[in-house]
């Protein structure tokens, strides 16, 4: 119980990422600073100005999805199902789900939904006519298809939601899951986000927006959060789901939490459809709301995993917002390793923040050689992990296209 408000305990972690599948493999690669960047192989990008991405090359849907179901669900749903199963296994929570499905909730967000299936369906329509559009076209494309199919396949019967706040939706999902727990609507929530955006239209669109790095010759060096050479992000796919539980459920099951969510904040910039507020007011208020609702002082926040997409428009304002929370805070822009998985990024970065708090070890970022002049002078963790024996609390914060901001406060359990 925090400030008279129940916490949500994180008892399981499931992740599919460009640097590994599963918590242990992922965290080992993250601490080692391994890069998930490389050439695009999901489609022929030879004629594109940008031909690099972070793909989940170690993911095989057959390891997690029944053979007959693979063709009926989009890749983002496949990724979400895999990370949900991994999280349930990690939490040893299958028995609870099977015995009490009505007390289990599900929040599975996505920024884009089944955009790959949308493009495939359009191709079929153009080439073969409307009579050849498949019967699963709509249910593969709709943004809630991840939550719907995962709920059906796992047997979840409690409350469910499918947030779609662009690049902030993974963090927003944590707030929704946190609310379900503290209101008593569920005892356990499978919570996170998934994204599979490596398609011709999405990559082409971001190229036109001039939002991505064009460093095709050195993809591992392309994303450079807070660095003087930052020129944009590198697009990625991935998914992360966590198991959130009430304190009573943790005690009843004898679960061992990694950490706990104790505060949350969400705000809107009301500034621009693509660029964040240049003063960073929205992301600062989201972080401040998370800190205040957790009953923390900014000085108690020892680590922030920021949005850190490597764009000049975002890095400066966000860095100064972090400095307003705690001028001495440690930070690492882990998209330099993982790329930017859009809607899934906040869920993946919540996992990173959770493991940092649990292990009291701060993961490094890549490619910060010289801090950009317009970025605040913080304790950036670069190239090597840093031990943080006194770490009590941390923040994961994200900005979304459209001016959406979300931040979650995570403390030691």
């Amino acid at each position: 119980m925090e400030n008279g408000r129940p916490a949500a305990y994180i008892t399981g972690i499931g992740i599919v990422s460009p640097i590994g599948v599963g918590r242990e493999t992922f965290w080992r690669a993250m601490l080692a600073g391994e890069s998930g960047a490389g050439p695009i192989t999901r489609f022929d990008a030879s004629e594109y100005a940008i031909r690099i991405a972070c793909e989940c090359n170690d993911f095989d849907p057959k390891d997690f999805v029944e053979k007959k179901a693979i063709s009926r669900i989009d890749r983002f749903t496949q990724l979400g199902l895999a990370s949900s199963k991994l999280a349930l296994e990690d939490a040893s929570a299958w028995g609870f789900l099977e015995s009490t499905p009505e007390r289990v909730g599900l929040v599975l967000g996505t920024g884009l939904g089944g955009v790959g299936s949308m493009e495939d369906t359009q191709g079929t329509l153009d080439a073969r006519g409307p009579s050849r559009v498949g019967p699963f076209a709509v249910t593969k494309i709709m943004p809630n298809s991840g939550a719907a199919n995962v709920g059906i396949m796992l047997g979840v019967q409690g409350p469910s939601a499918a947030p779609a706040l662009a690049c902030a939706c993974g963090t927003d999902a944590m707030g929704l899951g946190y609310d379900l727990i503290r209101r008593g609507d569920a005892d356990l929530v499978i919570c996170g986000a998934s994204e599979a955006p490596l398609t011709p239209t999405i990559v082409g669109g971001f190229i036109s927006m001039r939002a991505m790095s064009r460093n095709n010759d050195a993809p591992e060096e392309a994303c450079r959060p807070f660095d003087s050479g930052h020129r944009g992000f590198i697009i990625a796919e991935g998914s992360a789901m966590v198991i959130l539980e009430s304190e009573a459920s943790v005690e009843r099951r004898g679960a061992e939490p990694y950490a706990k969510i104790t505060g949350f904040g969400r705000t809107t910039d009301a500034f621009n459809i693509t660029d964040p507020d240049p003063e960073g007011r929205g992301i600062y208020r989201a972080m401040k709301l998370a800190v205040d609702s957790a009953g923390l002082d900014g000085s108690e926040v020892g680590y922030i995993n920021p949005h850190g997409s490597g764009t000049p428009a975002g890095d400066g304002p966000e860095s100064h917002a972090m400095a307003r929370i705690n001028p001495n805070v440690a930070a690492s822009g882990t998209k330099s390793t993982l790329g930017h998985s859009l809607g899934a990024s906040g869920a993946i970065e919540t996992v990173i923040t959770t493991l940092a708090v649990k292990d009291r070890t701060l993961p490094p970022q890549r490619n910060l050689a010289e801090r950009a002049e317009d970025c605040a002078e913080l304790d950036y963790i670069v190239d090597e992990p840093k031990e943080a024996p006194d770490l009590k609390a941390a923040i994961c914060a994200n900005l979304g296209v459209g001016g959406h901001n979300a931040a979650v406060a995570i403390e030691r359990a």
Side-chain angles (χ1 to χ4, degrees), residues 24-349:
E24 292 183 0
T25 300
F26 169 79
W27 190 232
R28 183 166 56 247
M30 176 58 61
L31 294 181
E34 296 181 10
S35 173
I40 291 175
T41 65
R42 296 293 303 168
F43 66 93
D44 181 5
S46 59
E47 297 185 3
Y48 283 63
I50 295 173
R51 300 178 295 279
I52 55 176
C54 292
E55 301 181 340
C56 297
N57 293 321
D58 293 335
F59 171 69
D60 186 342
K62 293 191 296 293
D63 293 337
F64 300 96
V65 187
E66 291 184 10
K67 185 177 180 179
K68 65 179 181 180
I70 290 177
S71 64
R72 298 179 179 181
I73 59 176
D74 187 82
R75 183 171 173 85
F76 99 91
T77 298
Q78 296 171 8
L79 295 168
L81 177 63
S83 54
S84 296
K85 287 184 171 182
L86 288 167
L88 285 164
E89 181 179 349
D90 191 48
S92 299
W94 283 108
F96 184 85
L97 172 58
E98 292 168 358
S99 65
T100 325
E102 70 278 3
R103 294 298 301 167
V104 176
L106 174 64
V107 181
L108 202 169
T110 182
L112 298 169
V115 65
S117 295
M118 172 71 85
E119 293 185 28
D120 290 344
T121 300
Q122 186 66 53
T124 299
L125 181 64
D126 292 342
R128 304 173 68 185
S131 65
R132 302 311 295 266
V133 171
F136 295 100
V138 172
T139 56
K140 291 171 71 173
I141 293 167
M142 59 190 193
N144 70 309
S145 62
N149 281 289
V150 171
I152 291 168
M153 292 175 180
L154 298 183
V156 175
Q157 296 179 16
S160 61
L165 281 183
C167 313
C169 89
T171 312
D172 184 60
M174 298 299 158
L176 293 173
Y178 173 49
D179 285 343
L180 291 176
I181 291 294
R182 66 188 184 88
R183 285 201 307 262
D185 294 343
D187 297 317
L188 183 151
V189 179
I190 308 164
C191 183
S194 183
E195 201 81 276
L198 302 182
T199 73
T201 298
I202 299 304
V203 172
F206 277 117
I207 291 172
S208 295
M209 286 172 62
R210 302 185 182 277
M212 297 196 296
S213 169
R214 295 175 178 250
N215 195 350
N216 291 309
D217 295 332
E220 300 90 348
E221 300 173 10
C223 185
R224 313 184 66 86
F226 313 110
D227 183 74
S228 60
H230 55 181
R231 297 292 183 271
F233 64 81
I234 179 169
I235 196 167
E237 60 181 352
S239 176
M241 302 293 285
V242 300
I243 302 302
L244 301 181
E245 291 191 64
S246 66
E247 184 175 17
S249 179
V250 167
E251 293 177 352
R252 186 167 54 247
R253 291 200 319 111
E256 296 185 10
Y258 290 99
K260 59 186 177 182
I261 294 176
T262 57
F264 187 78
R266 58 169 67 87
T267 63
T268 308
D269 283 353
F271 173 74
N272 184 276
I273 192 64
T274 56
D275 292 341
D277 177 1
E279 301 299 322
R281 289 168 291 202
I283 190 61
Y284 167 71
R285 287 192 298 112
M287 290 190 284
K288 187 68 164 58
L289 286 168
V291 169
D292 289 348
S293 63
L296 294 167
D297 184 86
S299 62
E300 296 178 284
V301 177
Y303 173 67
I304 297 177
N305 190 292
H307 191 65
S309 59
T311 60
D315 286 356
E318 185 181 22
S319 68
H320 287 284
M322 289 190 284
R324 290 180 66 186
I325 295 295
N326 180 358
N328 300 310
V329 75
S332 53
T334 47
K335 287 184 177 68
S336 58
T337 289
L338 296 162
H340 190 350
S341 55
L342 309 183
S345 61
I348 292 172
E349 289 156 12

Side-chain angles (χ1 to χ4, degrees), residues 326-401:
N326 180 358
N328 300 310
V329 75
S332 53
T334 47
K335 287 184 177 68
S336 58
T337 289
L338 296 162
H340 190 350
S341 55
L342 309 183
S345 61
I348 292 172
E349 289 156 12
T350 294
V351 165
I352 293 170
T353 308
T354 297
L355 293 173
V357 169
K358 172 67 167 59
D359 291 352
R360 300 189 186 188
T361 302
L362 308 183
Q365 75 167 73
R366 299 171 57 89
N367 306 327
L368 179 47
E370 179 183 18
R371 178 174 54 86
E373 290 185 1
D374 61 346
C375 288
E377 186 173 354
L378 301 170
D379 180 15
Y380 297 103
I381 311 303
V382 182
D383 295 334
E384 299 289 338
K386 179 180 179 179
E387 299 300 315
D390 298 325
L391 182 63
K392 173 187 176 182
I395 292 174
C396 173
N398 289 95
L399 301 81
V401 171

